[in-house]
Amino acid sequence: MTYREALDWLYGKRRQGPRGTERVRALLARLGHPEGAFPAVHVLGTNGKGSVVAYLEAAFRARGLLYGAYTSPHLLDFRERIRTHLGLIPEERVVGFVEWARGEAWEEPPGFFDLATALAFQHFREVGVALAAVEAGVGGEKDATNALSRVVLTVLTHVGEDHLEALGGSLEAVAREKAGAFREGVPVVTGAKGVGLEVARRVAEERGAPLFVLDPQDPLFALPAPPALRGAFQEQNARLAAAALRLLGLPEEAIARGLREAENPGRLERFLLGGVEVYLDGAHNPPAAEALAREFAAYHLVFGAFPRKDAKGVLAHLLPKAQSVRYTRAGEGALGRELGEPFFEDPWEALLEAVARAHEDGLPVLATGSLYLVGALRGRLSPGPPPGSSPQGR
């Protein structure tokens, strides 16, 4: 089996039935419970999870830890999801796991995210990680990552309305699903506000979990160095990561280096194309779009999204500052011409048209709406190995 064939098989595995951890737990049991082989920081939230993991990962690396990091989705290569101190998971590990999984008989077949999560945990065990940072996919309590059995710290970044229908239909239901992953007696660091914070407080109290709420005046959340990632909204993510790292016992020097050296491709990432500034960002829900739009006075917009996302809500924040807009297909299964006109089937063509327009007024181009769109464009803007392909590359 080739790596490409292994990925085709993985991508074809759709989750059947209701959300829950039963399938991934059965899968992990057959693998000898790798989820218990390492302590982990579980990172939950509507927005900012990947950035928090990026800061944690950079600090782990600065400290010289044998670490693992699991995030989603990827931009260019599936292996970006599963990283360790040795770099990206090797292709042969992915192939070997798929060959094993394909040969097993399953009463309830695991879905793609179940399989990816189990592969990550197995790989972390095999390379002997001492600590892992694990980003939840959707929700918390019913997310596959909640199969972790040695969570030593939980981070809840923010609670918003993304995946509202899947997580219960109300902001309180979303908060309950995310806070449902809090562990008995395990500290929680959060930037949640309003209803999200109310629910987090209630669940943390019920489970005897110490709750640390973001306060810029609290030394626990102090920034020993300016965060490397762009955007005013990154301050909250950096403060949450700094607090988490202090609770984990990392020294200030490692925390500062982690903040300075973190990389999270596709999040307000800047490129130059024909002398025009091009920014790529994976904002795919209204709160993320609102924060993103605040970073600019004006721009030319390239936008693509998927049916399951609130495209209208996202565009409501982005269009007021857009001097022109081009809609495009973010990837297979994404929204098409129903987004609006002008529509371009090819994202690269849409970007080139926007860049040509930007030459007239000197404004930047902003491409956003989906990390899949970002991945498609980033592969053309920055050809070469995927991010994190070596320990030095992260």
Side-chain angles (χ1 to χ4, degrees):
M1 174 183 283
T2 65
Y3 177 58
R4 184 69 256 171
E5 290 169 340
L7 293 186
D8 289 343
W9 185 86
L10 275 175
Y11 295 151
K13 296 301 160 187
R14 305 296 182 191
R15 187 185 73 241
Q16 304 295 322
R19 296 178 61 252
T21 61
E22 295 79 10
R23 292 173 181 81
V24 74
R25 290 184 188 278
L27 177 54
L28 292 166
R30 294 199 194 187
L31 292 170
H33 292 290
E35 75 279 9
F38 50 88
V41 180
H42 198 194
V43 183
L44 314 161
T46 304
N47 295 316
K49 299 189 297 291
S51 295
V52 169
V53 171
Y55 289 122
L56 297 178
E57 180 181 5
F60 294 167
R61 185 171 58 250
R63 183 57 173 161
L65 296 177
L66 307 184
Y67 72 84
Y70 178 53
T71 56
S72 59
H74 60 272
L75 294 181
L76 304 176
D77 186 336
F78 169 84
R79 298 183 303 131
E80 295 165 36
R81 296 169 178 255
I82 305 171
R83 311 182 295 274
T84 72
H85 51 283
L86 300 175
L88 304 186
I89 183 172
E91 290 184 3
E92 56 267 26
R93 285 277 175 88
V94 179
V95 172
F97 175 84
V98 167
E99 288 177 337
W100 169 81
R102 194 174 65 167
E104 293 286 299
W106 306 97
E107 281 187 29
E108 296 186 52
F112 167 80
F113 196 68
D114 299 319
L115 291 157
T117 301
L119 171 57
F121 295 171
Q122 181 194 48
H123 183 57
F124 292 167
R125 178 178 63 182
E126 288 177 349
V127 302
V129 306
L131 184 60
V134 175
E135 175 190 354
V138 175
E141 184 175 20
K142 295 178 182 177
D143 189 75
T145 60
N146 201 34
L148 286 164
S149 61
R150 292 178 60 192
V151 174
V152 294
L153 183 71
T154 303
V155 179
L156 173 61
T157 60
H158 165 264
V159 176
E161 295 185 347
D162 198 22
H163 304 293
L164 196 63
E165 188 174 318
L167 299 181
S170 70
L171 191 60
E172 182 170 356
V174 172
R176 283 200 308 270
E177 160 67 15
K178 294 183 188 300
F182 293 179
R183 307 304 178 96
E184 295 285 341
V186 174
V188 177
V189 174
T190 187
K193 298 177 181 178
V195 172
L197 180 56
E198 290 174 15
V199 173
R201 285 192 188 281
R202 187 163 64 243
V203 175
E205 184 175 352
E206 290 170 357
R207 301 187 181 179
L211 185 67
F212 300 89
V213 181
L214 176 62
D215 177 359
Q217 306 306 314
D218 185 339
L220 179 66
F221 294 92
L223 293 178
L229 305 182
R230 289 188 181 90
F233 50 86
Q234 283 295 344
E235 180 182 326
Q236 170 169 318
N237 298 330
R239 290 188 184 278
L240 293 174
L245 291 163
R246 290 188 179 103
L247 291 171
L248 290 168
L250 268 72
E252 289 296 306
E253 180 183 357
I255 297 172
R257 281 189 58 190
L259 297 180
R260 287 196 303 265
E261 298 175 3
E263 298 177 19
N264 197 12
R267 279 73 170 186
L268 203 55
E269 190 174 15
R270 178 182 178 273
F271 296 88
L272 279 177
L273 182 61
V276 171
E277 285 187 311
V278 174
Y279 289 88
L280 304 184
D281 192 90
H284 56 265
N285 55 53
E290 182 181 18
L292 177 61
R294 284 199 297 266
E295 297 295 318
F296 299 90
Y299 43 72
H300 296 285
L301 180 65
V302 175
F303 183 83
F306 280 80
R308 61 183 181 273
K309 300 297 182 180
D310 181 8
K312 289 184 178 179
V314 171
L315 285 169
H317 293 292
L318 295 175
L319 289 178
K321 291 185 177 181
Q323 303 307 295
S324 71
V325 59
R326 287 150 189 84
Y327 299 101
T328 188
R329 196 175 301 278
E332 185 179 350
L335 294 170
R337 201 169 294 277
E338 64 267 37
L339 281 170
E341 294 289 347
F343 176 79
F344 297 81
E345 193 68 36
D346 179 5
W348 185 247
E349 183 182 353
L351 183 66
L352 292 180
E353 289 282 342
V355 167
R357 176 68 177 82
H359 271 296
E360 299 174 11
D361 54 23
L363 290 176
V365 172
L366 173 61
T368 190
S370 167
L371 275 171
Y372 292 98
L373 171 63
V374 167
L377 293 175
R378 194 182 191 279
R380 300 289 294 271
L381 289 166
S382 181
S389 56
S390 70
Q392 293 76 32
R394 288 297 308 165

